[in-house]
Amino acid sequence: MLAFTLKRLLSGAILLVAVATGTFFLAYLAIPDPTLGLLGSAATPDAQAALAQKIGTDRPLLVQFGDWIGGMLRGDFGDSWKNFQPVGKQIGLKLPVTLSVVSAATLLSAVLGGVLGVIAGLRPNSWTDRTVKAGAVILFALPGFWVALVLVMIFAVQLKWFPAVGYTQPTQSAGGWLLSITLPSFALALGAVVMIAEQLRSAIILADRQDYVRTLRSRGLPQWRVVVHLVRNAAPASLTVLALMFVGLLSGAVVVEQIFALPGIGAQTLGASQNGDIPVLLGITVITVVFVVIVNFLLDVLLGWINPKARAK
């Protein structure tokens, strides 16, 4: 297990460096002259040259990359080209908002998707199974932004149960914080619930046909213990989907944060893209990849613990 864990840590570190390198050069390829976005189209050549010297883009690209990658490995993402404040500090102020919504959406996806998947998987082709499948098709087909707007209209505007926009810090009010992330989390989670429920349903139906399940039932084992065995054997595929959903939810948070006016990294990413603020874009990308690597690492370790055969991969 130790060798398996170390191997996954090494592969995660390699992935982080590879993505950071690719993102750096792609950013400069997409924004060859960031001074235009920072100063505007009316900027004079002298102003552009002065800003390029200040932010260091007048140097060779490989020199810039060496300085940035060295700082990144030390945890220093440099300064923003827009306001010249440390990138790490700015991301640190926005990241908790996004993580609050994404973490809550992931938890909702796991719980709701797990319950629906188990119910449908234990009664295939029943009215419950058909209802879950029909609901899954409908929810999967609906655009995420439309679902978010409907939730706002019903639960915020009409019923007034939740705030329509804005974010409350948990240090100010734990109840207000929970209310402020509820609608965004549900809007973000609905598509993931569908995927997890479908995956778990299929895995449970497949596991229920195995010989060991018939043996357990023939020995008179209570139904709840049989279900535990089924869920444990069906869990690896669903956990993999859940980890992929976490990555997708991070991306989907950009749209949801705009609809609910949340001050997360989604709005920060859009602003940096419009302004050509490459250090902020690179910092957000690296932080996002770090979380993806951590989630995949925890998933691999968990799967290796559940299924020893996975350690050999």
Side-chain angles (χ1 to χ4, degrees), residues 244-302:
L244 294 174
M245 287 296 101
F246 179 83
V247 179
L249 294 178
L250 280 175
S251 303
V254 176
V255 177
V256 170
E257 286 178 5
Q258 292 297 303
I259 294 174
F260 291 94
L262 300 177
I265 61 173
Q268 190 178 30
T269 302
L270 290 177
S273 301
Q274 294 169 353
N275 297 325
D277 197 344
I278 291 180
V280 174
L281 290 174
L282 294 177
I284 292 173
T285 300
V286 170
I287 294 298
T288 302
V289 174
V290 167
F291 277 100
V292 171
V293 169
I294 291 174
V295 169
N296 285 320
F297 168 73
L298 294 176
L299 172 67
D300 288 337
V301 172
L302 181 59

Side-chain angles (χ1 to χ4, degrees), residues 19-312:
V19 171
T21 301
T23 303
F24 179 90
F25 288 104
L26 286 174
Y28 276 91
L29 183 64
I31 311 176
D33 188 2
T35 59
L36 285 175
L38 295 167
L39 295 175
S41 58
T44 63
D46 290 340
Q48 287 183 254
L51 181 59
Q53 184 177 14
K54 183 176 182 179
I55 62 180
T57 55
D58 58 334
R59 300 173 300 160
L61 187 58
L62 289 179
V63 175
Q64 296 180 54
F65 172 71
D67 292 343
W68 178 78
I69 198 74
M72 187 269 291
L73 293 175
R74 297 191 304 270
D76 180 12
F77 299 105
D79 295 334
S80 166
W81 290 349
K82 188 65 178 178
N83 55 28
F84 301 101
Q85 297 296 316
V87 171
K89 182 178 180 180
Q90 294 183 64
I91 295 176
L93 295 174
K94 306 287 187 179
L95 187 61
V97 180
T98 301
L99 286 182
S100 296
V101 175
V102 172
S103 299
T106 304
L107 181 60
L108 286 171
S109 303
V111 173
L112 295 178
V115 171
L116 293 175
V118 170
I119 292 174
L122 292 177
R123 297 175 177 86
N125 299 320
S126 64
W127 70 267
T128 305
D129 182 31
R130 288 193 292 270
T131 302
V132 170
K133 291 172 65 176
V137 172
I138 295 172
L139 288 176
F140 190 74
L142 293 176
F145 71 89
W146 185 84
V147 173
L149 292 174
V150 170
L151 291 176
V152 169
M153 291 299 298
I154 295 176
F155 295 102
V157 177
Q158 296 181 8
L159 297 177
K160 301 185 185 303
W161 290 354
F162 304 98
V165 295
Y167 177 79
T168 302
Q169 296 288 345
T171 53
Q172 296 176 348
S173 171
W177 167 77
L178 187 60
L179 290 175
S180 67
I181 67 170
T182 298
L183 289 184
S185 300
F186 268 102
L188 200 58
L190 288 179
V193 168
V194 171
M195 298 294 294
I196 293 170
E198 280 292 308
Q199 185 66 45
L200 187 58
R201 170 192 174 276
S202 300
I204 287 180
I205 291 175
L206 182 63
D208 199 21
R209 297 170 180 169
Q210 303 301 312
D211 292 336
Y212 78 91
V213 177
R214 286 191 288 269
T215 302
L216 292 175
R217 288 198 171 102
S218 66
R219 292 174 58 187
L221 214 64
Q223 177 65 11
W224 69 268
R225 292 188 61 182
V226 176
V227 172
V228 170
H229 282 281
L230 285 172
V231 172
R232 181 174 181 179
N233 283 276
S238 301
L239 289 174
T240 302
V241 172
L242 184 62
L244 294 174
M245 287 296 101
F246 179 83
V247 179
L249 294 178
L250 280 175
S251 303
V254 176
V255 177
V256 170
E257 286 178 5
Q258 292 297 303
I259 294 174
F260 291 94
L262 300 177
I265 61 173
Q268 190 178 30
T269 302
L270 290 177
S273 301
Q274 294 169 353
N275 297 325
D277 197 344
I278 291 180
V280 174
L281 290 174
L282 294 177
I284 292 173
T285 300
V286 170
I287 294 298
T288 302
V289 174
V290 167
F291 277 100
V292 171
V293 169
I294 291 174
V295 169
N296 285 320
F297 168 73
L298 294 176
L299 172 67
D300 288 337
V301 172
L302 181 59
L303 292 180
W305 176 72
I306 294 176
N307 181 14
K309 294 180 180 179
R311 304 174 195 171

